[in-house]
Amino acid sequence: MTDYTTDAGYSPARRTLRQAWAALASAVRCLALLQTAALAACMSYGPAAEEDFDTGLGSEAAGRGLFITCEGNFMYGNASLSFYDTRSRRAENEVFARANGMKLGDVAQSMTIHGSLGWIVVNNSGIVFAIDLDTFREAGRITGFTSPRYMHFISDQKAYVTQIWDPRICIVNPKTFEITGYIDTGMDFASGSTEQMVQIGEYVYTNCWSYQNRILKIDTRTDTVAGELVVGIQPTSLAEDCNGRLWTITDGGYEGSPYGYEAPSLCCIDTETFTVERRFQFALGEHPSEIQTNAAADVLYWINDDIWSMPVDAEMLPARPFVEYDGTIYYGLTVSPENGDVYVADAIDHVQNGVILRYSAEGQLLDTFTVGVSPGAFCWR
């Protein structure tokens, strides 16, 4: 394994925000099971007036439609979904609420698309909504989760849903909208969690972020853990490159954490041997996150106060950022599969509506548009 280091600085504001979130997650974990059940029972979803939508994209939508999940504020029930047409440059906000006459719920964590439906994972409401991609109307829902985070399809009849306050990965049947089983990860309820998923062949890999340090390898044929790899404290995200290798980025925890505190790192994982092939070390106190790739999967992007990028075959971390830190909160990013434009979610202060900034592949700011509170994840049509 090759090891690389850097002395780059960090933003105290972003560090404080991440430490506060981690401390909150630790406190809330103990109450998650009871709180989620109560919230699902009492959440007021509506009714309200409904609007008719039709994106008109249909089968021509590839690369033209971008969904943005906006978390809202924890326990405020103000999560929302925005949709952006990349050709017309028009953004529509609150499309779920406007199309369905009811609120999306509390903390919209992520969204994925399978077939003609979009699947929105609403973390603190313990629910996954399925919506029509053109009308945004609800097509069904799956309930009964503790704290869902991400959804990954194995087939038309089987998908996995990870959770943050529950060590089990849920197995669901999207056709019947039911939880059909669980994958036992071997972690306990005090610190067990799973996050993003990447499938390579018959195996799904998932990073264990909150108070964890590992990547799990799941055999989709048996729905069991086939291996685990310790990579460092709190791997935040996961991506596959053009060489079939996995990349993860750890945030190192925070000072005073009962789970530990260390310098974060960017890791390249050989999936054949399931070992860390290369490690790029950051400075203690930095908190990198949100690893992504471009469409060709030969360039990496991530957030570390600034927005950074580097080729997957690089031998050292970049000296200059792709986009410089501007005293705000860069909270998510994605790269257009159509033209390589980079979209950055700016949460500003997690109180007012956020902004999406669109950059060219060369780092030039092209335009911006307003979305909901705390935009954090993207999903391409």
Side-chain angles (χ1 to χ4, degrees):
M1 180 186 74
T2 308
D3 196 294
Y4 307 91
T5 61
T6 180
D7 294 321
Y10 65 95
S11 159
R14 184 172 177 87
R15 175 182 172 186
T16 300
L17 178 67
R18 294 184 66 85
Q19 289 177 354
W21 166 246
L24 177 63
S26 177
V28 171
R29 180 186 294 273
C30 300
L31 302 174
L33 285 167
L34 292 176
Q35 182 269 331
T36 301
L39 184 65
C42 68
M43 175 68 73
S44 176
Y45 288 98
E50 297 180 5
E51 294 183 38
D52 291 326
F53 286 94
D54 187 352
T55 67
L57 296 179
S59 61
E60 304 298 320
R64 282 194 56 185
L66 177 61
F67 289 95
I68 304 101
T69 54
C70 302
E71 294 178 6
N73 303 116
F74 182 66
M75 295 292 289
Y76 277 68
N78 60 339
S80 65
L81 182 69
S82 296
F83 180 78
Y84 179 68
D85 188 317
T86 62
R87 300 286 175 85
S88 69
R89 305 297 178 203
R90 180 178 177 181
E92 292 281 359
N93 294 323
E94 292 277 6
V95 294
F96 181 90
R98 291 161 61 191
N100 294 284
M102 63 180 184
K103 297 177 182 179
L104 182 56
D106 198 53
V107 186
Q109 176 66 33
S110 64
M111 178 176 175
T112 191
I113 289 173
H114 185 75
S116 61
L117 297 178
W119 300 78
I120 310 164
V121 181
V122 190
N123 171 238
N124 204 45
S125 294
I127 193 168
V128 175
F129 286 108
I131 63 168
D132 182 279
L133 293 174
D134 286 314
T135 66
F136 313 133
R137 290 283 173 86
E138 182 187 352
R141 65 180 71 178
I142 308 174
T143 59
F145 302 102
T146 303
S147 50
R149 298 285 281 181
Y150 296 89
M151 186 174 189
H152 175 79
F153 278 78
I154 308 301
S155 67
D156 291 343
Q157 288 78 35
K158 185 170 78 170
Y160 293 160
V161 177
T162 56
Q163 305 192 93
I164 190 171
W165 294 325
D166 189 327
R168 301 170 300 174
I169 298 172
C170 296
I171 305 168
V172 303
N173 185 331
K175 293 292 187 182
T176 62
F177 300 100
E178 294 176 318
I179 297 175
T180 58
Y182 299 92
I183 298 174
D184 181 3
T185 64
M187 296 181 285
D188 60 34
F189 274 81
S191 64
S193 66
T194 49
E195 287 282 308
Q196 299 178 7
M197 290 171 278
V198 171
Q199 184 166 358
I200 301 177
E202 299 291 343
Y203 296 99
V204 165
Y205 299 85
T206 182
N207 58 300
C208 305
W209 169 62
S210 180
Y211 291 91
Q212 276 299 330
N213 61 359
R214 68 198 72 182
I215 307 295
L216 299 183
K217 180 179 181 180
I218 310 295
D219 189 328
T220 61
R221 297 162 296 189
T222 60
D223 300 324
T224 57
V225 175
E228 64 176 55
L229 174 66
V230 173
V231 292
I233 294 177
Q234 298 197 157
T236 68
S237 44
L238 203 59
E240 180 187 4
D241 72 14
C242 58
N243 301 311
R245 288 175 168 79
L246 286 174
W247 291 82
T248 191
I249 199 163
T250 70
D251 65 24
Y254 61 95
E255 191 171 4
S257 168
Y259 190 70
Y261 179 47
E262 66 183 17
S265 59
L266 172 65
C267 302
C268 177
I269 299 168
D270 185 330
T271 55
E272 291 294 326
T273 61
F274 203 33
T275 58
V276 176
E277 181 182 87
R278 285 180 286 160
R279 184 184 297 272
F280 300 83
Q281 204 77 35
F282 297 96
L284 182 67
E286 293 189 84
H287 289 280
S289 64
E290 305 302 318
I291 193 78
Q292 298 283 334
T293 66
N294 62 348
D298 59 1
V299 176
L300 301 171
Y301 293 85
W302 68 89
I303 299 173
N304 190 13
D305 291 328
D306 310 293
I307 307 299
W308 297 84
S309 69
M310 79 174 195
V312 298
D313 58 358
E315 295 186 355
M316 64 180 63
L317 290 169
R320 291 184 298 274
F322 175 76
V323 175
E324 291 186 355
Y325 176 69
D326 193 28
T328 187
I329 301 173
Y330 295 142
Y331 200 53
L333 62 89
T334 189
V335 183
S336 168
E338 186 179 40
N339 59 16
D341 286 352
V342 179
Y343 292 73
V344 179
D346 183 354
I348 304 178
D349 55 10
H350 289 290
V351 176
Q352 61 186 292
N353 287 334
V355 172
I356 306 301
L357 306 98
R358 182 173 67 94
Y359 293 89
S360 70
E362 293 71 41
Q364 178 185 357
L365 180 62
L366 301 175
D367 61 21
T368 66
F369 56 93
T370 301
V371 290
V373 176
S374 297
F378 299 89
C379 181
W380 289 95
R381 278 202 66 177

